[in-house]
Amino acid sequence: MAWKAQADAYRALKIDPVPAGVGDLPEFRADCQYSHRLPDDPIVAPGLPGASHMHSFVGNKAVDANTVAGDLTKFTATSCKPVQDHSAYWVPTLYDNATGKPVETTGFRVYYRSLAKNSTGQMPMPNGLRMISGDAKKKQPTPRGATGQFYCAFYGPGDLDGVARSTNGNWPICGGTATLHFMLQFPDCWDGKHLDSPNHKDHVAYGSGGTCPPGHPVRIPAITFDIQYPARGTPAGYYLSSDKAGKSASSMHGDAFVMWDVDTMNKRTKNCVLGRRTCDNYGYQK
């Protein structure tokens, strides 16, 4: 079994010597750019091109409705750094409500990190794992202060909820040089058996208090999407392809189809997450 071989190789690895000055945030990352846009979803609607709302893809450049795990290792061209990350990541496309034109990300950082205060039992990501975070069917307003809303990212102090709001109140209008961002958190525990499940969520779970639930005993790095958009907000606001009518951010969700070079995944997880050190795209970060 591929997972057993990966797990055995991971356990045999030693943590590399840590250079002076490395930070202590237990994470590594991939920095990705927009790749392509399709009304496809190889997790929710596999083999059914055009069956989904529009998605914006980053990472593996060959992904469409027919993509299976083996394709990610065969067609490895990627919009991510490091190039050893062959994964595909996608979110519903964001549209400007005034023009109807898509607004595509100018920065899509994928963190792999520990959410707990310790890394006891930490294991790497299994290749082929498929996950969804968020709810495409959620249709609730996202007013100022709401959880799960787009926010304004500043390089310094600033109002995350914006200096104003769109006319419907669901979207921030950013001041200064701030732009719209969205953060999306995935589970950090896996059942150790299934790479997917019927609802694409039951095979993974969120840990609590530094431990994983009994049915999901394998602690994996927690994926976090940090998505930057080249927009500052407008009174007209925006809408997501998953909720054209509601025009709120509550249906924002993300998909991750994980596929890395195994040696790279194992070494990053061992050095950075288990070793609780800050790593960038290529290793230790000072």
Side-chain angles (χ1 to χ4, degrees), residues 8-283:
D8 288 345
Y10 171 78
R11 292 187 182 99
L13 270 180
K14 304 296 184 183
I15 293 177
D16 289 336
V18 182
V22 171
D24 60 359
L25 294 175
E27 65 185 30
F28 62 97
R29 70 180 190 235
D31 280 315
C32 308
Q33 297 295 324
Y34 168 72
S35 173
H36 59 285
R37 185 170 59 245
L38 287 171
D40 291 0
D41 191 324
I43 293 179
V44 175
L48 298 172
S52 175
H53 51 259
M54 191 65 72
H55 281 115
S56 297
F57 291 82
V58 306
N60 196 294
K61 294 182 177 181
V63 173
D64 59 21
N66 296 308
T67 297
V68 296
D71 297 328
L72 299 178
T73 59
K74 183 178 180 181
F75 305 104
T76 59
T78 181
S79 68
C80 292
K81 296 179 180 180
V83 296
Q84 292 89 348
D85 181 6
H86 311 314
S87 307
Y89 313 104
W90 60 96
V91 293
T93 301
L94 180 70
Y95 290 88
D96 186 308
N97 196 43
T99 65
K101 294 182 178 179
V103 182
E104 297 295 0
T105 176
T106 52
F108 196 115
R109 177 166 288 181
V110 184
Y111 289 102
Y112 287 76
R113 54 175 37 147
S114 171
L115 302 179
K117 293 182 179 179
N118 66 74
S119 294
T120 303
Q122 182 69 56
M123 296 297 290
M125 279 286 193
N127 269 342
L129 187 68
R130 299 180 285 285
M131 296 186 291
I132 294 176
S133 178
D135 185 355
K137 297 181 180 179
K138 191 174 182 180
K139 306 291 190 291
Q140 294 180 1
T142 48
R144 177 181 291 274
T147 58
Q149 65 162 313
F150 281 68
Y151 67 94
C152 297
F154 290 82
Y155 296 101
D159 190 342
L160 296 180
D161 289 330
V163 297
R165 304 292 288 186
S166 59
T167 301
N168 64 16
N170 290 322
W171 303 89
I173 298 175
C174 304
T177 59
T179 57
L180 292 180
H181 278 239
F182 197 91
M183 296 283 287
L184 197 62
Q185 182 69 64
F186 286 76
D188 57 343
C189 299
W190 174 47
D191 67 9
K193 300 175 183 178
H194 305 98
L195 297 176
D196 201 356
S197 53
N199 66 357
H200 316 295
K201 293 185 176 184
D202 286 347
H203 60 304
V204 289
Y206 291 93
S208 177
T211 61
C212 287
H216 299 79
V218 182
R219 179 181 288 189
I220 55 175
I223 288 178
T224 303
F225 288 175
D226 182 357
I227 312 169
Q228 175 183 343
Y229 291 91
R232 295 176 54 191
T234 68
Y238 304 87
Y239 66 88
L240 291 164
S241 59
S242 47
D243 183 19
K244 296 180 181 180
K247 299 181 175 60
S248 79
S250 62
S251 70
M252 184 62 165
H253 59 285
D255 299 59
F257 197 154
V258 179
M259 186 64 66
W260 279 69
D261 170 78
V262 172
D263 290 343
T264 304
M265 168 57 66
N266 281 359
K267 184 172 284 290
R268 293 283 197 278
T269 304
K270 181 75 74 161
N271 286 346
C272 313
V273 187
L274 181 67
R276 301 193 73 80
R277 290 293 184 265
T278 306
C279 296
D280 60 14
N281 310 75
Y282 307 107

